[in-house]
Amino acid sequence: TEKRILEYEVFSICIVLTLYSTALGGDVDHETSLYNLITPTGTVSHTGYGGLAPGGGMSHAIRWLGAAVDNFVELELVKSTGEVIRVNAESDPELFWALRGNGFNYGVVTEIVVRCQDMPNNGIVRGAPIAFPEDKVEVTMLDWLKHISSPNRKPTESVQFGCIPTPHGNTTAALVPVVIGGTEESRKEYCDNL
């Protein structure tokens, strides 16, 4: 298989992961989990990190860790002239800022160095989709909006709302709660409150 993760480095202030932009979110999740670490990787495992991250990079951990771009340490960029450069906050602060969310307009990002955080509770992530009948879509969405705007929600808790087709051609609502580092009891409590 293709090597997509390059290396880890441990510094006194943080742990960073260097990866090729061809790495999938699942590749990054797998490698970081081996060391009980986390960095934002999107919401599905088969999304390419090099496509997700330079555009912002939403994830289940966004309330806790920020978007993927908030965790960039350094980028390798191939400019339109063919020149390969490394960009970080010290070497070129304006370009580094521009690449964090608008990275597709300045060249091709080929390598990304990201900051990693320790995972709480031995790296356990709990989640399960909850489907609702078609006639409950509106009330489910309104309850979801109320829930996500609650100031009491923990930063390690996430919930997505979606409308999904059923095998019979109808539409149903689904909530996908995710608890990062929580216990089985905290997951149950979180899901019960939805």
Side-chain angles (χ1 to χ4, degrees), residues 136-173:
K136 301 287 186 192
V137 170
E138 184 176 341
V139 71
T140 301
M141 183 173 186
L142 293 173
D143 286 348
W144 171 75
L145 288 169
K146 181 180 172 186
H147 177 76
I148 64 168
S149 63
S150 169
N152 299 327
R153 202 163 56 115
K154 296 176 186 171
T156 54
E157 296 174 344
S158 167
V159 63
Q160 290 182 322
F161 173 82
C163 290
I164 56 174
T166 67
H168 307 293
N170 299 322
T171 301
T172 189

mmCIF file of all heavy atoms in Angstrom, residues 136-173:
data_model
loop_
_atom_site.group_PDB
_atom_site.id
_atom_site.type_symbol
_atom_site.label_atom_id
_atom_site.label_comp_id
_atom_site.label_asym_id
_atom_site.label_seq_id
_atom_site.Cartn_x
_atom_site.Cartn_y
_atom_site.Cartn_z
ATOM 1 N N LYS A 136 -41.350 12.902 11.803
ATOM 2 C CA LYS A 136 -40.625 13.541 12.912
ATOM 3 C C LYS A 136 -39.430 14.375 12.440
ATOM 4 O O LYS A 136 -38.666 14.878 13.255
ATOM 5 C CB LYS A 136 -40.114 12.477 13.895
ATOM 6 C CG LYS A 136 -41.202 11.626 14.510
ATOM 7 C CD LYS A 136 -41.991 12.403 15.512
ATOM 8 C CE LYS A 136 -42.977 11.475 16.204
ATOM 9 N NZ LYS A 136 -43.956 12.187 16.972
ATOM 10 N N VAL A 137 -39.264 14.529 11.122
ATOM 11 C CA VAL A 137 -38.099 15.250 10.589
ATOM 12 C C VAL A 137 -38.054 16.689 11.099
ATOM 13 O O VAL A 137 -37.027 17.154 11.591
ATOM 14 C CB VAL A 137 -38.075 15.210 9.041
ATOM 15 C CG1 VAL A 137 -37.025 16.153 8.484
ATOM 16 C CG2 VAL A 137 -37.840 13.793 8.550
ATOM 17 N N GLU A 138 -39.172 17.397 11.010
ATOM 18 C CA GLU A 138 -39.175 18.804 11.400
ATOM 19 C C GLU A 138 -38.885 18.982 12.889
ATOM 20 O O GLU A 138 -38.034 19.780 13.282
ATOM 21 C CB GLU A 138 -40.512 19.456 11.053
ATOM 22 C CG GLU A 138 -40.523 20.946 11.344
ATOM 23 C CD GLU A 138 -41.814 21.615 10.915
ATOM 24 O OE1 GLU A 138 -42.554 21.038 10.093
ATOM 25 O OE2 GLU A 138 -42.075 22.720 11.412
ATOM 26 N N VAL A 139 -39.561 18.234 13.739
ATOM 27 C CA VAL A 139 -39.348 18.367 15.180
ATOM 28 C C VAL A 139 -37.942 17.904 15.564
ATOM 29 O O VAL A 139 -37.317 18.484 16.449
ATOM 30 C CB VAL A 139 -40.449 17.635 15.995
ATOM 31 C CG1 VAL A 139 -40.318 16.120 15.895
ATOM 32 C CG2 VAL A 139 -40.398 18.077 17.448
ATOM 33 N N THR A 140 -37.415 16.892 14.871
ATOM 34 C CA THR A 140 -36.056 16.428 15.139
ATOM 35 C C THR A 140 -35.046 17.518 14.808
ATOM 36 O O THR A 140 -34.115 17.780 15.572
ATOM 37 C CB THR A 140 -35.746 15.154 14.330
ATOM 38 O OG1 THR A 140 -36.686 14.149 14.684
ATOM 39 C CG2 THR A 140 -34.341 14.657 14.589
ATOM 40 N N MET A 141 -35.247 18.193 13.677
ATOM 41 C CA MET A 141 -34.325 19.255 13.286
ATOM 42 C C MET A 141 -34.397 20.421 14.274
ATOM 43 O O MET A 141 -33.369 20.982 14.663
ATOM 44 C CB MET A 141 -34.615 19.738 11.871
ATOM 45 C CG MET A 141 -33.636 20.778 11.405
ATOM 46 S SD MET A 141 -33.896 21.171 9.687
ATOM 47 C CE MET A 141 -32.525 22.251 9.416
ATOM 48 N N LEU A 142 -35.597 20.790 14.692
ATOM 49 C CA LEU A 142 -35.735 21.887 15.650
ATOM 50 C C LEU A 142 -35.085 21.532 16.992
ATOM 51 O O LEU A 142 -34.410 22.366 17.605
ATOM 52 C CB LEU A 142 -37.206 22.252 15.830
ATOM 53 C CG LEU A 142 -37.868 22.873 14.594
ATOM 54 C CD1 LEU A 142 -39.363 23.034 14.812
ATOM 55 C CD2 LEU A 142 -37.224 24.196 14.226
ATOM 56 N N ASP A 143 -35.282 20.292 17.442
ATOM 57 C CA ASP A 143 -34.631 19.851 18.681
ATOM 58 C C ASP A 143 -33.114 19.857 18.531
ATOM 59 O O ASP A 143 -32.390 20.217 19.460
ATOM 60 C CB ASP A 143 -35.109 18.444 19.074
ATOM 61 C CG ASP A 143 -36.521 18.438 19.631
ATOM 62 O OD1 ASP A 143 -37.049 19.530 19.935
ATOM 63 O OD2 ASP A 143 -37.094 17.343 19.739
ATOM 64 N N TRP A 144 -32.624 19.432 17.349
ATOM 65 C CA TRP A 144 -31.184 19.424 17.083
ATOM 66 C C TRP A 144 -30.621 20.841 17.147
ATOM 67 O O TRP A 144 -29.587 21.087 17.762
ATOM 68 C CB TRP A 144 -30.924 18.793 15.713
ATOM 69 C CG TRP A 144 -29.526 18.909 15.229
ATOM 70 C CD1 TRP A 144 -28.436 18.200 15.660
ATOM 71 C CD2 TRP A 144 -29.037 19.771 14.211
ATOM 72 N NE1 TRP A 144 -27.311 18.578 14.967
ATOM 73 C CE2 TRP A 144 -27.660 19.546 14.062
ATOM 74 C CE3 TRP A 144 -29.645 20.727 13.387
ATOM 75 C CZ2 TRP A 144 -26.884 20.232 13.149
ATOM 76 C CZ3 TRP A 144 -28.868 21.409 12.473
ATOM 77 C CH2 TRP A 144 -27.502 21.162 12.366
ATOM 78 N N LEU A 145 -31.312 21.796 16.518
ATOM 79 C CA LEU A 145 -30.857 23.187 16.543
ATOM 80 C C LEU A 145 -30.808 23.718 17.970
ATOM 81 O O LEU A 145 -29.862 24.420 18.354
ATOM 82 C CB LEU A 145 -31.763 24.060 15.680
ATOM 83 C CG LEU A 145 -31.630 23.858 14.175
ATOM 84 C CD1 LEU A 145 -32.751 24.576 13.433
ATOM 85 C CD2 LEU A 145 -30.274 24.347 13.693
ATOM 86 N N LYS A 146 -31.814 23.380 18.765
ATOM 87 C CA LYS A 146 -31.830 23.797 20.173
ATOM 88 C C LYS A 146 -30.652 23.171 20.922
ATOM 89 O O LYS A 146 -29.972 23.843 21.702
ATOM 90 C CB LYS A 146 -33.154 23.371 20.809
ATOM 91 C CG LYS A 146 -33.295 23.762 22.252
ATOM 92 C CD LYS A 146 -34.636 23.294 22.792
ATOM 93 C CE LYS A 146 -34.717 23.512 24.288
ATOM 94 N NZ LYS A 146 -35.931 22.941 24.851
ATOM 95 N N HIS A 147 -30.405 21.903 20.657
ATOM 96 C CA HIS A 147 -29.322 21.194 21.354
ATOM 97 C C HIS A 147 -27.943 21.771 21.010
ATOM 98 O O HIS A 147 -27.139 22.012 21.900
ATOM 99 C CB HIS A 147 -29.357 19.704 21.020
ATOM 100 C CG HIS A 147 -28.237 18.951 21.641
ATOM 101 N ND1 HIS A 147 -28.218 18.624 22.978
ATOM 102 C CD2 HIS A 147 -27.078 18.493 21.134
ATOM 103 C CE1 HIS A 147 -27.106 17.995 23.258
ATOM 104 N NE2 HIS A 147 -26.389 17.892 22.157
ATOM 105 N N ILE A 148 -27.676 21.997 19.727
ATOM 106 C CA ILE A 148 -26.330 22.455 19.355
ATOM 107 C C ILE A 148 -26.054 23.893 19.784
ATOM 108 O O ILE A 148 -24.908 24.305 19.848
ATOM 109 C CB ILE A 148 -26.021 22.276 17.852
ATOM 110 C CG1 ILE A 148 -26.927 23.140 16.991
ATOM 111 C CG2 ILE A 148 -26.083 20.819 17.455
ATOM 112 C CD1 ILE A 148 -26.486 23.239 15.554
ATOM 113 N N SER A 149 -27.106 24.641 20.082
ATOM 114 C CA SER A 149 -26.892 26.016 20.541
ATOM 115 C C SER A 149 -26.805 26.115 22.064
ATOM 116 O O SER A 149 -26.608 27.191 22.604
ATOM 117 C CB SER A 149 -28.005 26.925 20.015
ATOM 118 O OG SER A 149 -29.257 26.508 20.535
ATOM 119 N N SER A 150 -26.919 24.990 22.754
ATOM 120 C CA SER A 150 -26.875 24.981 24.212
ATOM 121 C C SER A 150 -25.471 25.334 24.721
ATOM 122 O O SER A 150 -24.484 24.738 24.302
ATOM 123 C CB SER A 150 -27.263 23.600 24.741
ATOM 124 O OG SER A 150 -26.969 23.510 26.121
ATOM 125 N N PRO A 151 -25.367 26.268 25.668
ATOM 126 C CA PRO A 151 -24.053 26.609 26.221
ATOM 127 C C PRO A 151 -23.505 25.515 27.144
ATOM 128 O O PRO A 151 -22.331 25.531 27.489
ATOM 129 C CB PRO A 151 -24.325 27.899 27.006
ATOM 130 C CG PRO A 151 -25.781 27.844 27.343
ATOM 131 C CD PRO A 151 -26.434 27.089 26.219
ATOM 132 N N ASN A 152 -24.334 24.562 27.522
ATOM 133 C CA ASN A 152 -23.907 23.502 28.440
ATOM 134 C C ASN A 152 -23.285 22.306 27.728
ATOM 135 O O ASN A 152 -22.823 21.381 28.385
ATOM 136 C CB ASN A 152 -25.098 23.015 29.275
ATOM 137 C CG ASN A 152 -25.680 24.134 30.110
ATOM 138 O OD1 ASN A 152 -24.971 25.012 30.565
ATOM 139 N ND2 ASN A 152 -26.982 24.115 30.285
ATOM 140 N N ARG A 153 -23.276 22.329 26.411
ATOM 141 C CA ARG A 153 -22.728 21.200 25.661
ATOM 142 C C ARG A 153 -21.218 21.158 25.817
ATOM 143 O O ARG A 153 -20.536 22.177 25.755
ATOM 144 C CB ARG A 153 -23.094 21.361 24.181
ATOM 145 C CG ARG A 153 -23.057 20.093 23.420
ATOM 146 C CD ARG A 153 -23.811 20.227 22.110
ATOM 147 N NE ARG A 153 -23.334 21.304 21.291
ATOM 148 C CZ ARG A 153 -22.756 21.161 20.114
ATOM 149 N NH1 ARG A 153 -22.578 19.972 19.621
ATOM 150 N NH2 ARG A 153 -22.368 22.192 19.431
ATOM 151 N N LYS A 154 -20.675 19.954 26.034
ATOM 152 C CA LYS A 154 -19.228 19.790 26.199
ATOM 153 C C LYS A 154 -18.528 19.918 24.850
ATOM 154 O O LYS A 154 -19.067 19.497 23.832
ATOM 155 C CB LYS A 154 -18.924 18.425 26.804
ATOM 156 C CG LYS A 154 -19.460 18.245 28.200
ATOM 157 C CD LYS A 154 -19.200 16.846 28.688
ATOM 158 C CE LYS A 154 -19.859 16.610 30.025
ATOM 159 N NZ LYS A 154 -19.807 15.203 30.415
ATOM 160 N N PRO A 155 -17.306 20.464 24.821
ATOM 161 C CA PRO A 155 -16.591 20.607 23.548
ATOM 162 C C PRO A 155 -16.215 19.268 22.902
ATOM 163 O O PRO A 155 -15.915 19.219 21.727
ATOM 164 C CB PRO A 155 -15.351 21.424 23.892
ATOM 165 C CG PRO A 155 -15.256 21.434 25.363
ATOM 166 C CD PRO A 155 -16.589 21.070 25.921
ATOM 167 N N THR A 156 -16.236 18.194 23.661
ATOM 168 C CA THR A 156 -15.904 16.875 23.110
ATOM 169 C C THR A 156 -17.145 16.114 22.657
ATOM 170 O O THR A 156 -17.064 14.936 22.329
ATOM 171 C CB THR A 156 -15.138 16.037 24.150
ATOM 172 O OG1 THR A 156 -15.908 15.985 25.354
ATOM 173 C CG2 THR A 156 -13.761 16.621 24.417
ATOM 174 N N GLU A 157 -18.294 16.792 22.613
ATOM 175 C CA GLU A 157 -19.536 16.180 22.131
ATOM 176 C C GLU A 157 -19.949 16.843 20.827
ATOM 177 O O GLU A 157 -19.873 18.051 20.681
ATOM 178 C CB GLU A 157 -20.655 16.345 23.162
ATOM 179 C CG GLU A 157 -20.383 15.637 24.453
ATOM 180 C CD GLU A 157 -21.437 15.930 25.515
ATOM 181 O OE1 GLU A 157 -22.214 16.891 25.374
ATOM 182 O OE2 GLU A 157 -21.462 15.184 26.498
ATOM 183 N N SER A 158 -20.382 16.028 19.905
ATOM 184 C CA SER A 158 -20.785 16.519 18.587
ATOM 185 C C SER A 158 -22.031 15.771 18.168
ATOM 186 O O SER A 158 -22.232 14.610 18.528
ATOM 187 C CB SER A 158 -19.656 16.252 17.581
ATOM 188 O OG SER A 158 -20.090 16.435 16.264
ATOM 189 N N VAL A 159 -22.869 16.427 17.402
ATOM 190 C CA VAL A 159 -24.027 15.733 16.840
ATOM 191 C C VAL A 159 -24.324 16.334 15.471
ATOM 192 O O VAL A 159 -24.344 17.546 15.300
ATOM 193 C CB VAL A 159 -25.260 15.790 17.774
ATOM 194 C CG1 VAL A 159 -25.749 17.196 17.986
ATOM 195 C CG2 VAL A 159 -26.374 14.899 17.269
ATOM 196 N N GLN A 160 -24.492 15.461 14.492
ATOM 197 C CA GLN A 160 -24.824 15.896 13.140
ATOM 198 C C GLN A 160 -26.274 15.561 12.856
ATOM 199 O O GLN A 160 -26.797 14.551 13.344
ATOM 200 C CB GLN A 160 -23.964 15.188 12.109
ATOM 201 C CG GLN A 160 -22.532 15.599 12.122
ATOM 202 C CD GLN A 160 -21.756 14.887 11.033
ATOM 203 O OE1 GLN A 160 -21.985 13.724 10.757
ATOM 204 N NE2 GLN A 160 -20.841 15.593 10.422
ATOM 205 N N PHE A 161 -26.917 16.388 12.046
ATOM 206 C CA PHE A 161 -28.282 16.137 11.604
ATOM 207 C C PHE A 161 -28.247 15.867 10.112
ATOM 208 O O PHE A 161 -27.497 16.501 9.375
ATOM 209 C CB PHE A 161 -29.169 17.362 11.866
ATOM 210 C CG PHE A 161 -30.544 17.232 11.277
ATOM 211 C CD1 PHE A 161 -31.526 16.537 11.950
ATOM 212 C CD2 PHE A 161 -30.838 17.783 10.040
ATOM 213 C CE1 PHE A 161 -32.789 16.403 11.405
ATOM 214 C CE2 PHE A 161 -32.099 17.651 9.486
ATOM 215 C CZ PHE A 161 -33.079 16.961 10.174
ATOM 216 N N GLY A 162 -29.059 14.945 9.664
ATOM 217 C CA GLY A 162 -29.141 14.683 8.230
ATOM 218 C C GLY A 162 -30.480 14.065 7.863
ATOM 219 O O GLY A 162 -31.159 13.471 8.700
ATOM 220 N N CYS A 163 -30.857 14.255 6.636
ATOM 221 C CA CYS A 163 -32.027 13.571 6.089
ATOM 222 C C CYS A 163 -31.492 12.470 5.178
ATOM 223 O O CYS A 163 -30.657 12.736 4.320
ATOM 224 C CB CYS A 163 -32.915 14.529 5.300
ATOM 225 S SG CYS A 163 -33.767 15.711 6.347
ATOM 226 N N ILE A 164 -31.958 11.263 5.387
ATOM 227 C CA ILE A 164 -31.455 10.133 4.613
ATOM 228 C C ILE A 164 -32.613 9.389 3.960
ATOM 229 O O ILE A 164 -33.712 9.346 4.507
ATOM 230 C CB ILE A 164 -30.620 9.174 5.495
ATOM 231 C CG1 ILE A 164 -31.430 8.685 6.693
ATOM 232 C CG2 ILE A 164 -29.341 9.837 5.955
ATOM 233 C CD1 ILE A 164 -30.743 7.637 7.527
ATOM 234 N N PRO A 165 -32.383 8.821 2.772
ATOM 235 C CA PRO A 165 -33.450 8.061 2.113
ATOM 236 C C PRO A 165 -33.617 6.688 2.776
ATOM 237 O O PRO A 165 -32.657 6.102 3.267
ATOM 238 C CB PRO A 165 -32.948 7.916 0.678
ATOM 239 C CG PRO A 165 -31.464 8.040 0.777
ATOM 240 C CD PRO A 165 -31.186 8.938 1.953
ATOM 241 N N THR A 166 -34.838 6.222 2.783
ATOM 242 C CA THR A 166 -35.112 4.882 3.296
ATOM 243 C C THR A 166 -35.164 3.914 2.122
ATOM 244 O O THR A 166 -35.263 4.336 0.964
ATOM 245 C CB THR A 166 -36.462 4.840 4.035
ATOM 246 O OG1 THR A 166 -37.509 5.043 3.078
ATOM 247 C CG2 THR A 166 -36.531 5.902 5.131
ATOM 248 N N PRO A 167 -35.127 2.613 2.375
ATOM 249 C CA PRO A 167 -35.233 1.637 1.281
ATOM 250 C C PRO A 167 -36.552 1.740 0.509
ATOM 251 O O PRO A 167 -36.651 1.297 -0.627
ATOM 252 C CB PRO A 167 -35.133 0.284 1.993
ATOM 253 C CG PRO A 167 -34.456 0.564 3.282
ATOM 254 C CD PRO A 167 -34.842 1.965 3.647
ATOM 255 N N HIS A 168 -37.571 2.359 1.139
ATOM 256 C CA HIS A 168 -38.882 2.476 0.500
ATOM 257 C C HIS A 168 -39.051 3.773 -0.286
ATOM 258 O O HIS A 168 -40.143 4.074 -0.758
ATOM 259 C CB HIS A 168 -39.983 2.365 1.561
ATOM 260 C CG HIS A 168 -39.845 1.140 2.407
ATOM 261 N ND1 HIS A 168 -40.013 -0.134 1.918
ATOM 262 C CD2 HIS A 168 -39.513 1.002 3.709
ATOM 263 C CE1 HIS A 168 -39.809 -1.005 2.883
ATOM 264 N NE2 HIS A 168 -39.497 -0.346 3.985
ATOM 265 N N GLY A 169 -37.976 4.559 -0.402
ATOM 266 C CA GLY A 169 -38.036 5.794 -1.177
ATOM 267 C C GLY A 169 -38.496 7.006 -0.396
ATOM 268 O O GLY A 169 -38.668 8.081 -0.960
ATOM 269 N N ASN A 170 -38.715 6.878 0.882
ATOM 270 C CA ASN A 170 -39.103 7.998 1.727
ATOM 271 C C ASN A 170 -37.849 8.666 2.290
ATOM 272 O O ASN A 170 -36.741 8.202 2.072
ATOM 273 C CB ASN A 170 -39.994 7.516 2.880
ATOM 274 C CG ASN A 170 -41.266 6.870 2.372
ATOM 275 O OD1 ASN A 170 -41.854 7.314 1.392
ATOM 276 N ND2 ASN A 170 -41.685 5.812 3.036
ATOM 277 N N THR A 171 -38.071 9.721 3.050
ATOM 278 C CA THR A 171 -36.962 10.400 3.711
ATOM 279 C C THR A 171 -37.168 10.300 5.215
ATOM 280 O O THR A 171 -38.286 10.425 5.702
ATOM 281 C CB THR A 171 -36.913 11.889 3.296
ATOM 282 O OG1 THR A 171 -36.761 11.964 1.891
ATOM 283 C CG2 THR A 171 -35.757 12.602 3.967
ATOM 284 N N THR A 172 -36.103 10.092 5.914
ATOM 285 C CA THR A 172 -36.170 10.081 7.372
ATOM 286 C C THR A 172 -35.053 10.963 7.924
ATOM 287 O O THR A 172 -34.082 11.255 7.240
ATOM 288 C CB THR A 172 -36.071 8.638 7.929
ATOM 289 O OG1 THR A 172 -36.355 8.674 9.329
ATOM 290 C CG2 THR A 172 -34.697 8.046 7.710
ATOM 291 N N ALA A 173 -35.224 11.402 9.150
ATOM 292 C CA ALA A 173 -34.206 12.224 9.808
ATOM 293 C C ALA A 173 -33.295 11.324 10.616
ATOM 294 O O ALA A 173 -33.718 10.292 11.131
ATOM 295 C CB ALA A 173 -34.870 13.244 10.724
#
